[in-house]
Structures are given as structure tokens and as C-alpha cells.
Amino acid sequence: SQELEQSPQSLIVQEGKNLTINCTSSKTLYGLYWYKQKYGEGLIFLMMLQKGGEEKSHEKITAKLDEKKQQSSLHITASQPSHAGIYLCGADYSNYQLIWGAGTKLIIKP
Amino acid sequence: EAGVTQFPSHSVIEKGQTVTLRCDPISGHDNLYWYRRVMGKEIKFLLHFVKESKQDESGMPNNRFLAERTGGTYSTLKVQPAELEDSGVYFCASSQSSQVNEVFGPGTRLTVL
């Protein structure tokens, strides 16, 4: 089994609807990073979570890290076409290398 | 298929010295990216190559950093002279032009003493 599992693999959502992406670790995280990836643009940093129970928001995107620091969810409210892309979570177990989730491809239907 | 490889895995140098990091992308991947993560902070973009050309180098912190990708294959990132704040993990990633997903290398940990 993988250390870090991200779900779902892909998501098609009607514009204006809410959605959630999950990232689950098999062991306690030092930190959890959320990134968005757009074609030809590299990674766009969204949020970093380090404390159990921590929640951060950026525009209409909210990310939480659970109390046990083993699961994080990314929630988008009232999705827009600009939210389309691939969302990646990155797990920090040692403050050195990052373990990446497989990514979630998000498509927004107009 | 071999993944993205980086060399060395860890480098310890003294302030003022020069270090060269190498990234070998997946064969056939035209896009190559360099990122850096300073201890405890998020990964930050450094630059993007398309083949041998620098597409975007807006993330390069200063002129002590020089990236090259001669022939559009492997890439090097030279830091000269290295400063204490350059310590961190340097990631390389590559992607094929027609794909979206970047594949990340394991990173090179740089420690400047």
C-alpha cells in the first residue's frame, strides 16, 4: 500500500457546485502541502498545513488537516472554470523529501 | 521507464563555495522545471526549460544561481558563491509537452555551512 493516497483520481463538477479532494497518509505527517498544476505552468502553491486541526482558506479554497495529522481535505466552494486543473498533495514526513499524491484531475463543466 | 534522477542526493559545502546540481529528466520530456524548498516552507518555483530554452526564470532568487540545459537533455543548477540561506532541497521535475503531469525527482538536499 502507498504511504499517501489521494482521491478521487478525477472529478467532473458542474460549475457552481462544491467539491472535496482527500489526501490520506499511512503515518503521521510533519506537514501537508496542496498544489495546483496547470498545463505548462508548473506548480502553483495553494496551502501548507502543519498543525493538527489546522484549517486555511485561500479565496474559495479551504484545506484542513485532521487532529491526528494523517488526513487532509481540500474543499472548493462554488467552483469556477478557473479551478480546473490537477490538484496535488505533498506529504512531509521528515522535513526533507516530499511524498506526492497521485493527483486529482478536476474538470469544471459550464 | 526510468524516472527523473537528481545528483547528488545530498551536498554539504561551506559558504562561498560553488555547487552544481544535476537533473536528468525522463527521456523525451521537453519541459524541465527546477524548484526549491527551504526548511519548513513551501516549494517555490525557480525556472522552467522547454528543451534548451528558458521559458520562465522568474523564480530564480538572484544572479548567484545559474541554470543550464545544453542540448535539451539534462540540466544543471549552479550556485556560486553559495550562501547560508541557499540551504534547502532542490527538486527537478519534467513533463512531456502533450501531458500535464510533471514527474518529480527525489530532490537534492543542499546544506551550506
Side-chain angles (χ1 to χ4, degrees):
Chain A
S1 63
Q2 293 184 346
E3 282 182 304
L4 190 67
E5 292 194 3
Q6 188 174 341
S7 63
Q9 289 186 341
S10 62
L11 196 54
I12 302 174
V13 174
Q14 192 74 38
E15 183 178 350
K17 297 294 185 182
N18 303 337
L19 63 105
T20 300
I21 300 169
N22 294 302
C23 193
T24 303
S25 171
S26 59
K27 53 185 181 180
T28 302
L29 299 159
Y30 178 88
L32 192 288
Y33 300 78
W34 283 101
Y35 288 84
K36 182 182 176 183
Q37 189 176 41
K38 295 184 74 173
Y39 174 67
E41 294 182 21
L43 290 182
I44 301 168
F45 171 71
L46 295 176
M47 275 164 281
M48 176 176 69
L49 304 165
Q50 289 186 303
K51 299 178 183 177
E54 187 175 10
E55 179 175 326
K56 288 186 177 179
S57 292
H58 173 68
E59 296 177 346
K60 292 185 178 179
I61 302 175
T62 301
K64 302 178 185 179
L65 182 61
D66 73 351
E67 292 288 344
K68 293 184 179 179
K69 296 174 67 174
Q70 286 192 250
Q71 185 172 27
S72 178
S73 59
L74 183 84
H75 186 76
I76 298 178
T77 303
S79 58
Q80 300 172 350
S82 60
H83 289 130
I86 294 182
Y87 289 80
L88 286 168
C89 63
D92 188 348
Y93 294 112
S94 64
N95 206 31
Y96 169 24
Q97 288 185 322
L98 285 184
I99 305 296
W100 296 94
T104 296
K105 185 176 182 179
L106 174 62
I107 297 171
I108 306 296
K109 290 174 57 179
Chain B
E1 178 184 82
V4 177
T5 57
Q6 291 187 246
F7 181 83
S9 58
H10 191 188
S11 180
V12 181
I13 60 172
E14 293 187 349
K15 176 183 174 181
Q17 289 185 321
T18 298
V19 64
T20 300
L21 313 180
R22 173 171 171 144
C23 168
D24 284 80
I26 290 175
S27 178
H29 281 194
D30 288 340
N31 295 278
L32 188 149
Y33 305 84
W34 281 100
Y35 297 90
R36 176 173 74 168
R37 184 164 73 107
V38 174
M39 185 72 73
K41 297 191 179 296
E42 76 276 13
I43 291 178
K44 289 192 174 180
F45 167 81
L46 295 178
L47 88 159
H48 170 205
F49 282 101
V50 177
K51 296 185 179 180
E52 67 273 13
S53 300
K54 292 177 184 176
Q55 184 78 7
D56 181 356
E57 52 183 330
S58 60
M60 295 288 266
N62 51 61
N63 59 11
R64 294 186 293 103
F65 289 76
L66 175 64
E68 294 180 323
R69 192 183 183 196
T70 306
T73 54
Y74 71 90
S75 175
T76 57
L77 180 65
K78 180 189 287 187
V79 185
Q80 179 183 30
E83 297 290 343
L84 298 178
E85 63 264 25
D86 299 333
S87 295
V89 182
Y90 290 77
F91 291 97
C92 173
S94 72
S95 68
Q96 202 170 26
S97 58
S98 59
Q99 295 179 359
V100 181
N101 283 4
E102 296 167 27
V103 179
F104 277 80
T108 292
R109 184 176 187 179
L110 175 64
T111 303
V112 183
L113 302 175

